[in-house]
Amino acid sequence: MSLTGTPLFATVVALTVIAVALPLALWSRVRGPAVVRGATRALMVVFAQVTAVVLVFVAVNRDMNFYASWGDLMGTGKYVQAAPDLGPDGMGGKKAEQVREEPKVRQDFQPVEGLGGRVKKTELDGKISGVKGDVMVWLPPQYDDPAWKDRKFPVVELIPGIPGTGKSWFQGLKVHEVLEPLMKEGKVQPFVLVSPRAMLLGNADTGCANLTGKVNADSWFSVDVRKMVTDNFRVSDEARTWGVAGYSAGAYCAAKLAILHPDRYSAAVSLSGYNDPGQEPSSLVAQDPELRRTHNLKHLLQTQPAPLAVSLWMSGAEHDGYLSGLDLKALAKAPTTVHSEKVSGGHNLDSWSKQLPQTFDWLSKTVKAP
């Protein structure tokens, strides 16, 4: 029974109704010694409370899609096939040109239930990263327009927080519903939106890092997913045509990928992100003090061989992304640019969804069409 499916939801609703009805029908009819009567009534109350909590969890998860499967919830999903040392650039000794010239990764895409048919999903076997997971893709309304048949499109890679799935961007933030009318009106550039699986090792946060022997999350996002998209859609692999965006733990990842790979991304949007990976309790990187230091965004920005041709948008409440943006802005040297935007609202999907028109307007001016 699917964690997000209707059968489970209907079952939990039925159990909750039964749990509420039982005390009303049987409370005064319980027989036996006082201890037995008390224990029986206590069990009915506990059963009602448990079913109510489970109902709320299932309903919220169906709406926000924090966990797409029982494997995600229990942390038993198997997505890492191998995690070899791929070197500092995450290419495993290959040059970008060699990766580009390898056989095309042709994928079969299927519509995603509940998302209107335009969001499609595929299972990608990452040949370089050793990660095998789902990737969701949404094509802008202009993509199938005959007038645009010879045009290529810019891309924004979307990274969810922890917990979260690729579907979280579409079902939780409703990114496609917010942006489609703006694209039709010409207020936002028609981007191809790509959201890969981010939970690769149970409920742990990989920090979008390559950790030899554990996971090559960086290469999954920045090499394998990018190649798959360029092989299957009318897009370019030029960095100037690619942006990356994330919220919460995904925001840290988005900024990190842009800082580390200006040859792959030209811009990043960080919604309620942070610079110190230790701010995410489940971070694998933060478990090692030296890795935590070297994977801090301030350290990464300061230690690049030369100033980066990338632009960062970092927004959030004062202590939830805004001050982190100011810290990076103070360190940035041209041509690197950092915009830090202070916003109201909490650390939640509704707050991030409301920022989409503004952030994608900025991306439209920053990420170039091929």
Side-chain angles (χ1 to χ4, degrees):
M1 194 178 292
S2 170
L3 181 60
T4 58
T6 300
L8 176 63
F9 182 63
T11 300
V12 175
V13 169
L15 288 174
T16 304
V17 171
I18 292 171
V20 173
L22 275 177
L24 296 175
L26 302 178
W27 194 270
S28 62
R29 298 183 183 182
V30 177
R31 297 292 182 262
V35 174
V36 174
R37 295 197 306 272
T40 302
R41 289 166 177 162
L43 285 173
M44 288 192 290
V45 171
V46 171
F47 180 48
Q49 291 176 331
V50 170
T51 54
V53 170
V54 172
L55 176 60
V56 170
F57 167 78
V58 172
V60 171
N61 190 60
R62 272 169 58 86
D63 185 43
M64 303 300 185
N65 222 261
F66 294 119
Y67 300 96
S69 67
W70 291 103
D72 284 344
L73 178 63
M74 305 304 294
T76 58
K78 178 67 175 177
Y79 304 105
V80 178
Q81 312 300 308
D85 184 350
L86 297 178
D89 62 358
M91 294 280 199
K94 297 180 180 180
K95 301 294 184 182
E97 295 76 15
Q98 292 175 296
V99 173
R100 189 182 303 117
E101 293 170 2
E102 287 183 348
K104 291 187 179 298
V105 181
R106 296 300 188 186
Q107 295 289 124
D108 178 45
F109 291 83
Q110 300 296 327
V112 181
E113 181 183 358
L115 293 179
R118 291 187 62 85
V119 181
K120 298 188 176 183
K121 175 181 173 181
T122 190
E123 293 292 324
L124 174 62
D125 186 357
K127 299 303 182 183
I128 290 182
S129 67
V131 171
K132 186 175 184 179
D134 53 281
V135 182
M136 295 192 180
V137 177
W138 180 84
L139 301 177
Q142 291 89 339
Y143 194 89
D144 295 320
D145 186 335
W148 291 66
K149 65 182 179 67
D150 297 321
R151 299 274 293 273
K152 289 186 176 182
F153 292 80
V155 184
V156 177
E157 197 168 350
L158 306 172
I159 305 178
I162 301 293
T165 68
K167 197 174 181 181
S168 300
W169 267 94
F170 298 104
Q171 191 161 328
L173 273 71
K174 304 186 186 305
V175 60
H176 58 311
E177 295 180 16
V178 173
L179 296 181
E180 183 167 357
L182 298 177
M183 291 181 184
K184 289 180 177 179
E185 295 167 10
K187 295 180 179 178
V188 166
Q189 193 170 182
F191 291 102
V192 171
L193 304 180
V194 181
S195 192
R197 166 168 288 278
M199 292 174 65
L200 304 176
L201 287 175
N203 295 320
D205 171 29
T206 66
C208 290
N210 279 1
L211 302 172
T212 302
K214 290 184 178 180
V215 63
N216 285 320
D218 183 322
S219 297
W220 163 247
F221 290 113
S222 70
V223 182
D224 286 327
V225 171
R226 289 182 83 254
K227 176 170 172 55
M228 183 276 289
V229 175
T230 59
D231 286 349
N232 288 270
F233 302 100
R234 297 199 312 273
V235 304
S236 166
D237 69 347
E238 294 178 273
R240 67 187 186 90
T241 69
W242 278 74
V244 56
Y247 62 84
S248 191
Y252 163 80
C253 282
K256 178 181 179 181
L257 290 173
I259 291 172
L260 287 177
H261 305 298
D263 58 328
R264 302 169 204 177
Y265 306 96
S266 61
V269 168
S270 167
L271 304 174
S272 298
Y274 45 80
N275 297 328
D276 175 10
Q279 290 186 232
E280 169 52 53
S282 67
S283 172
L284 295 176
V285 172
Q287 292 176 7
D288 181 288
E290 181 61 14
L291 284 178
R292 178 175 178 176
R293 182 185 72 83
T294 57
H295 284 255
N296 188 300
L297 297 188
K298 293 193 291 183
H299 174 85
L300 291 175
L301 190 62
Q302 286 179 300
T303 55
Q304 294 306 303
L308 313 171
V310 296
S311 299
L312 305 179
W313 171 289
M314 304 186 72
S315 62
E318 184 168 1
H319 295 285
D320 192 29
Y322 174 65
L323 291 180
S324 294
L326 289 182
D327 286 344
L328 290 188
K329 185 175 182 178
L331 297 173
K333 298 179 181 179
T336 307
T337 63
V338 179
H339 174 83
S340 188
E341 182 87 1
K342 189 175 184 178
V343 300
S344 58
H347 193 91
N348 55 66
L349 297 179
D350 182 61
S351 173
W352 300 321
S353 184
K354 289 178 180 177
Q355 296 178 57
L356 293 177
Q358 185 181 16
T359 54
F360 270 80
D361 174 69
W362 177 82
L363 282 168
S364 296
K365 299 169 183 174
T366 309
V367 177
K368 307 303 180 184

